Amino acid sequence: MQQQKFMREAIRLSLENVQSGKGGPFGAVIVKDGEIIASGANEVTTSNDPTAHAEVVAIRRACQRLGSFQLAGCEIYCSCEPCPMCLGAIYWARPDKIYFANTKEDAAAINFDDAFIYQEIELPSAHRTLPTEQLLRDEAWVAFQAWKDSTQKMDY
Protein backbone atom coordinates (compact mmCIF):
# COMPACT_ATOMS: atom_id res chain seq x y z
CA MET A 1 0.00 0.00 0.00
CA GLN A 2 1.44 3.35 -1.12
CA GLN A 3 0.28 5.25 2.00
CA GLN A 4 2.20 2.87 4.27
CA LYS A 5 5.39 3.45 2.27
CA PHE A 6 5.13 7.20 2.74
CA MET A 7 4.27 6.87 6.44
CA ARG A 8 7.28 4.61 6.94
CA GLU A 9 9.46 7.37 5.49
CA ALA A 10 8.03 9.90 7.95
CA ILE A 11 8.65 7.44 10.78
CA ARG A 12 12.18 6.77 9.52
CA LEU A 13 12.90 10.51 9.55
CA SER A 14 11.59 10.79 13.12
CA LEU A 15 13.83 7.97 14.34
CA GLU A 16 16.85 9.23 12.41
CA ASN A 17 16.34 12.66 13.98
CA VAL A 18 16.49 11.18 17.49
CA GLN A 19 19.47 8.94 16.75
CA SER A 20 21.44 11.81 15.22
CA GLY A 21 20.72 14.06 18.21
CA LYS A 22 19.30 16.74 15.92
CA GLY A 23 15.90 17.05 17.54
CA GLY A 24 12.62 15.56 18.62
CA PRO A 25 11.06 12.34 17.32
CA PHE A 26 8.99 13.88 14.55
CA GLY A 27 9.16 13.49 10.78
CA ALA A 28 6.90 14.49 7.90
CA VAL A 29 6.73 13.97 4.16
CA ILE A 30 4.61 15.65 1.54
CA VAL A 31 3.49 13.65 -1.46
CA LYS A 32 2.14 14.79 -4.81
CA ASP A 33 1.19 12.45 -7.63
CA GLY A 34 2.64 9.46 -5.79
CA GLU A 35 6.06 11.07 -5.25
CA ILE A 36 7.64 12.60 -2.15
CA ILE A 37 8.24 16.24 -3.03
CA ALA A 38 9.45 17.40 0.39
CA SER A 39 10.29 16.10 3.83
CA GLY A 40 11.18 17.50 7.19
CA ALA A 41 12.23 16.49 10.66
CA ASN A 42 11.97 18.45 13.87
CA GLU A 43 14.65 21.20 13.86
CA VAL A 44 13.55 23.18 16.92
CA THR A 45 16.72 22.75 18.97
CA THR A 46 19.22 22.74 16.11
CA SER A 47 17.82 25.91 14.52
CA ASN A 48 16.69 27.64 17.73
CA ASP A 49 13.32 28.04 16.03
CA PRO A 50 10.26 26.95 18.04
CA THR A 51 8.24 26.81 14.81
CA ALA A 52 10.62 24.37 13.07
CA HIS A 53 8.42 21.34 13.63
CA ALA A 54 8.68 18.56 11.05
CA GLU A 55 5.39 19.46 9.41
CA VAL A 56 6.23 23.16 9.10
CA VAL A 57 9.70 22.38 7.72
CA ALA A 58 8.16 20.02 5.15
CA ILE A 59 5.44 22.54 4.20
CA ARG A 60 8.02 25.28 3.65
CA ARG A 61 10.11 23.02 1.43
CA ALA A 62 7.14 21.71 -0.55
CA CYS A 63 5.74 25.17 -1.18
CA GLN A 64 9.14 26.41 -2.30
CA ARG A 65 9.53 23.46 -4.64
CA LEU A 66 6.04 23.93 -6.10
CA GLY A 67 6.31 27.71 -6.28
CA SER A 68 2.99 27.97 -4.48
CA PHE A 69 1.71 28.85 -1.04
CA GLN A 70 -0.83 26.05 -1.21
CA LEU A 71 -0.48 22.29 -1.41
CA ALA A 72 -3.56 21.35 -3.43
CA GLY A 73 -3.18 17.85 -4.80
CA CYS A 74 -0.79 16.90 -1.99
CA GLU A 75 -0.97 14.66 1.04
CA ILE A 76 1.06 15.08 4.21
CA TYR A 77 2.30 12.14 6.25
CA CYS A 78 3.23 12.94 9.85
CA SER A 79 4.93 10.56 12.25
CA CYS A 80 2.70 12.03 14.97
CA GLU A 81 -0.70 13.71 15.09
CA PRO A 82 0.03 17.39 14.39
CA CYS A 83 0.22 19.83 17.29
CA PRO A 84 -2.07 22.90 17.23
CA MET A 85 0.54 25.05 15.43
CA CYS A 86 1.23 22.42 12.79
CA LEU A 87 -2.44 21.64 12.32
CA GLY A 88 -3.05 25.33 11.69
CA ALA A 89 -0.17 25.47 9.19
CA ILE A 90 -1.47 22.35 7.45
CA TYR A 91 -4.95 23.83 7.14
CA TRP A 92 -3.49 27.07 5.72
CA ALA A 93 -1.46 25.06 3.20
CA ARG A 94 -4.61 23.19 2.13
CA PRO A 95 -3.34 19.70 1.26
CA ASP A 96 -5.92 17.14 0.25
CA LYS A 97 -5.34 14.82 3.22
CA ILE A 98 -3.37 14.30 6.45
CA TYR A 99 -2.12 10.92 7.65
CA PHE A 100 -0.51 10.45 11.08
CA ALA A 101 1.01 7.59 13.06
CA ASN A 102 1.49 8.34 16.78
CA THR A 103 -1.35 10.17 18.54
CA LYS A 104 -1.25 13.38 20.57
CA GLU A 105 -1.75 11.15 23.63
CA ASP A 106 1.36 9.17 22.64
CA ALA A 107 3.26 12.46 22.41
CA ALA A 108 1.99 13.54 25.83
CA ALA A 109 3.29 10.27 27.29
CA ILE A 110 6.86 11.32 26.36
CA ASN A 111 6.41 14.94 27.58
CA PHE A 112 5.27 16.56 24.33
CA ASP A 113 1.90 17.56 25.76
CA ASP A 114 -0.14 20.00 23.72
CA ALA A 115 -3.31 19.65 25.81
CA PHE A 116 -2.48 22.94 27.54
CA ILE A 117 -2.42 24.80 24.22
CA TYR A 118 -5.72 23.25 23.09
CA GLN A 119 -7.25 24.42 26.40
CA GLU A 120 -5.81 27.93 26.08
CA ILE A 121 -7.19 28.35 22.54
CA GLU A 122 -10.71 27.81 23.87
CA LEU A 123 -10.41 30.57 26.48
CA PRO A 124 -11.22 34.23 25.89
CA SER A 125 -7.90 36.07 25.47
CA ALA A 126 -8.26 37.86 28.82
CA HIS A 127 -8.42 34.50 30.63
CA ARG A 128 -5.36 32.85 29.10
CA THR A 129 -2.29 31.98 31.16
CA LEU A 130 -0.04 34.13 28.95
CA PRO A 131 -1.13 37.73 29.60
CA THR A 132 -2.84 38.96 26.43
CA GLU A 133 -4.07 42.50 25.84
CA GLN A 134 -5.52 44.17 22.77
CA LEU A 135 -4.05 47.53 21.72
CA LEU A 136 -4.66 50.02 18.89
CA ARG A 137 -7.32 48.07 17.02
CA ASP A 138 -8.58 51.18 15.22
CA GLU A 139 -5.09 51.93 13.90
CA ALA A 140 -4.50 48.31 12.90
CA TRP A 141 -7.86 48.15 11.12
CA VAL A 142 -6.48 50.52 8.46
CA ALA A 143 -4.33 47.70 7.05
CA PHE A 144 -7.32 45.33 7.02
CA GLN A 145 -9.42 47.90 5.21
CA ALA A 146 -6.62 48.46 2.69
CA TRP A 147 -6.50 44.69 2.08
CA LYS A 148 -10.26 44.51 1.68
CA ASP A 149 -10.21 47.35 -0.87
CA SER A 150 -7.05 46.28 -2.72
CA THR A 151 -7.29 45.27 -6.35
CA GLN A 152 -3.73 43.86 -6.21
CA LYS A 153 -4.31 41.19 -3.59
CA MET A 154 -4.08 37.47 -4.17
CA ASP A 155 -6.68 35.74 -2.03
CA TYR A 156 -5.58 32.76 0.02
Side-chain angles (χ1 to χ4, degrees), residues 5 7 16 24 34 38 53-55 66-67 69-70 84 90 97 117-118 127 134 136-138 140 148 151 156:
K5 176 180 104 172
M7 183 57 75
E16 179 182 272
H53 290 198
E55 299 89 338
L66 295 174
F69 54 83
Q70 297 196 337
I90 290 167
K97 191 164 185 177
I117 297 172
Y118 283 109
H127 295 98
Q134 184 179 26
L136 303 175
R137 179 175 181 251
D138 292 340
K148 182 180 173 192
T151 58
Y156 59 97

Coordinates of all heavy atoms in Angstrom, one line a residue, residues 5 7 16 24 34 38 53-55 66-67 69-70 84 90 97 117-118 127 134 136-138 140 148 151 156:
K5 N 4.0 3.1 2.7 CA 5.4 3.4 2.3 C 5.8 4.9 2.7 O 6.8 5.1 3.2 CB 5.5 3.3 0.7 CG 6.9 3.6 0.2 CD 6.9 3.4 -1.3 CE 6.8 4.8 -2.0 NZ 7.1 4.7 -3.4
M7 N 4.3 6.7 5.0 CA 4.3 6.9 6.4 C 5.6 6.3 7.0 O 6.1 6.9 7.9 CB 3.0 6.2 7.1 CG 3.0 6.4 8.6 SD 3.0 8.1 9.1 CE 1.3 8.5 8.6
E16 N 15.5 8.7 12.8 CA 16.8 9.2 12.4 C 17.2 10.5 13.1 O 18.3 10.8 13.6 CB 16.9 9.4 10.9 CG 18.2 10.0 10.4 CD 18.1 10.2 8.9 OE1 18.4 9.3 8.1 OE2 17.8 11.3 8.5
G24 N 13.7 16.4 18.1 CA 12.6 15.6 18.6 C 12.2 14.5 17.6 O 12.6 14.5 16.4
G34 N 1.9 10.7 -6.1 CA 2.6 9.5 -5.8 C 4.1 9.6 -5.6 O 4.8 8.6 -5.5
A38 N 8.7 16.7 -0.7 CA 9.5 17.4 0.4 C 9.3 16.6 1.7 O 8.4 15.8 1.8 CB 8.9 18.8 0.6
H53 N 8.9 22.7 13.5 CA 8.4 21.3 13.6 C 8.5 20.7 12.3 O 8.5 21.3 11.2 CB 7.0 21.4 14.1 CG 6.8 21.8 15.5 ND1 5.7 21.6 16.2 CD2 7.6 22.5 16.3 CE1 5.8 22.1 17.5 NE2 7.0 22.7 17.5
A54 N 8.5 19.3 12.3 CA 8.7 18.6 11.1 C 7.7 19.0 10.0 O 8.0 19.1 8.8 CB 8.6 17.1 11.4
E55 N 6.4 19.1 10.4 CA 5.4 19.5 9.4 C 5.6 20.8 8.8 O 5.5 21.0 7.6 CB 4.0 19.4 10.1 CG 3.6 18.1 10.6 CD 4.0 17.8 12.1 OE1 5.0 18.5 12.6 OE2 3.4 17.0 12.7
L66 N 7.2 23.8 -5.2 CA 6.0 23.9 -6.1 C 5.8 25.4 -6.6 O 5.1 25.6 -7.5 CB 4.8 23.5 -5.4 CG 4.7 22.0 -5.1 CD1 3.4 21.7 -4.3 CD2 4.7 21.1 -6.3
G67 N 6.5 26.3 -5.9 CA 6.3 27.7 -6.3 C 4.9 28.2 -6.0 O 4.3 29.0 -6.7
F69 N 1.9 28.8 -2.5 CA 1.7 28.8 -1.0 C 0.6 27.9 -0.6 O 0.2 27.8 0.5 CB 1.4 30.3 -0.6 CG 0.2 30.9 -1.3 CD1 -1.1 30.6 -0.9 CD2 0.4 31.8 -2.4 CE1 -2.2 31.2 -1.6 CE2 -0.6 32.3 -3.0 CZ -1.9 32.1 -2.7
Q70 N 0.2 27.0 -1.5 CA -0.8 26.0 -1.2 C -0.4 24.7 -1.7 O 0.3 24.6 -2.7 CB -2.2 26.4 -1.8 CG -2.7 27.7 -1.1 CD -4.1 28.0 -1.3 OE1 -4.7 27.5 -2.3 NE2 -4.7 28.8 -0.5
P84 N -1.2 21.8 17.7 CA -2.1 22.9 17.2 C -1.4 23.8 16.2 O -2.1 24.2 15.2 CB -2.4 23.7 18.5 CG -2.2 22.6 19.6 CD -1.1 21.7 19.1
I90 N -1.0 23.3 8.4 CA -1.5 22.4 7.4 C -2.8 22.8 6.8 O -3.0 22.8 5.6 CB -1.6 20.9 8.1 CG1 -0.2 20.4 8.4 CG2 -2.4 20.0 7.1 CD1 -0.2 19.1 9.3
K97 N -5.1 15.8 2.1 CA -5.3 14.8 3.2 C -4.1 14.8 4.2 O -3.0 15.1 3.7 CB -5.6 13.4 2.7 CG -6.0 12.4 3.7 CD -6.6 11.2 3.0 CE -7.2 10.2 4.1 NZ -7.8 9.1 3.5
I117 N -2.2 23.8 25.3 CA -2.4 24.8 24.2 C -3.9 24.7 23.7 O -4.5 25.7 23.5 CB -1.4 24.6 23.1 CG1 0.0 24.9 23.6 CG2 -1.7 25.5 21.9 CD1 1.1 24.6 22.6
Y118 N -4.3 23.4 23.5 CA -5.7 23.3 23.1 C -6.7 23.9 24.1 O -7.6 24.6 23.7 CB -6.0 21.8 23.0 CG -5.5 21.1 21.8 CD1 -4.4 20.2 21.8 CD2 -6.0 21.3 20.5 CE1 -3.9 19.5 20.7 CE2 -5.5 20.7 19.4 CZ -4.5 19.8 19.5 OH -4.0 19.2 18.4
H127 N -8.5 35.6 29.6 CA -8.4 34.5 30.6 C -7.3 33.5 30.4 O -7.2 32.5 31.1 CB -9.8 33.8 30.7 CG -10.9 34.6 31.2 ND1 -11.8 35.2 30.3 CD2 -11.2 35.0 32.4 CE1 -12.6 35.9 31.0 NE2 -12.3 35.8 32.3
Q134 N -5.3 43.5 24.1 CA -5.5 44.2 22.8 C -5.2 45.6 22.8 O -5.5 46.3 23.8 CB -7.0 44.0 22.3 CG -7.3 44.5 21.0 CD -8.7 44.3 20.5 OE1 -9.6 44.2 21.4 NE2 -8.9 44.3 19.2
L136 N -4.6 49.3 20.1 CA -4.7 50.0 18.9 C -5.4 49.3 17.7 O -5.0 49.4 16.6 CB -3.2 50.4 18.5 CG -2.4 51.1 19.5 CD1 -1.0 51.3 19.0 CD2 -3.0 52.5 19.8
R137 N -6.5 48.7 18.1 CA -7.3 48.1 17.0 C -7.7 49.0 15.9 O -7.6 48.7 14.7 CB -8.6 47.4 17.6 CG -9.4 46.7 16.6 CD -10.6 46.0 17.2 NE -11.3 45.3 16.1 CZ -12.6 45.7 15.7 NH1 -13.1 46.8 16.3 NH2 -13.2 45.0 14.8
D138 N -8.2 50.2 16.3 CA -8.6 51.2 15.2 C -7.5 51.5 14.2 O -7.7 51.6 13.0 CB -9.1 52.5 15.8 CG -10.4 52.3 16.6 OD1 -11.1 51.2 16.3 OD2 -10.8 53.1 17.4
A140 N -4.8 49.5 13.6 CA -4.5 48.3 12.9 C -5.5 48.0 11.8 O -5.2 47.4 10.8 CB -4.4 47.1 13.9
K148 N -8.9 44.7 2.2 CA -10.3 44.5 1.7 C -10.5 45.3 0.4 O -11.1 44.8 -0.6 CB -11.3 44.9 2.7 CG -12.7 44.7 2.4 CD -13.6 45.2 3.5 CE -15.1 45.1 3.0 NZ -16.0 45.8 3.9
T151 N -7.1 46.0 -5.1 CA -7.3 45.3 -6.3 C -6.0 44.5 -6.7 O -6.0 43.8 -7.7 CB -7.6 46.3 -7.5 OG1 -6.5 47.2 -7.6 CG2 -8.9 47.0 -7.2
Y156 N -6.1 34.1 -0.4 CA -5.6 32.8 0.0 C -6.4 32.3 1.2 O -7.2 33.0 1.7 CB -4.1 32.8 0.3 CG -3.6 33.8 1.3 CD1 -3.4 33.3 2.7 CD2 -3.3 35.1 1.0 CE1 -2.9 34.2 3.6 CE2 -2.9 36.0 2.0 CZ -2.7 35.5 3.3 OH -2.2 36.4 4.2

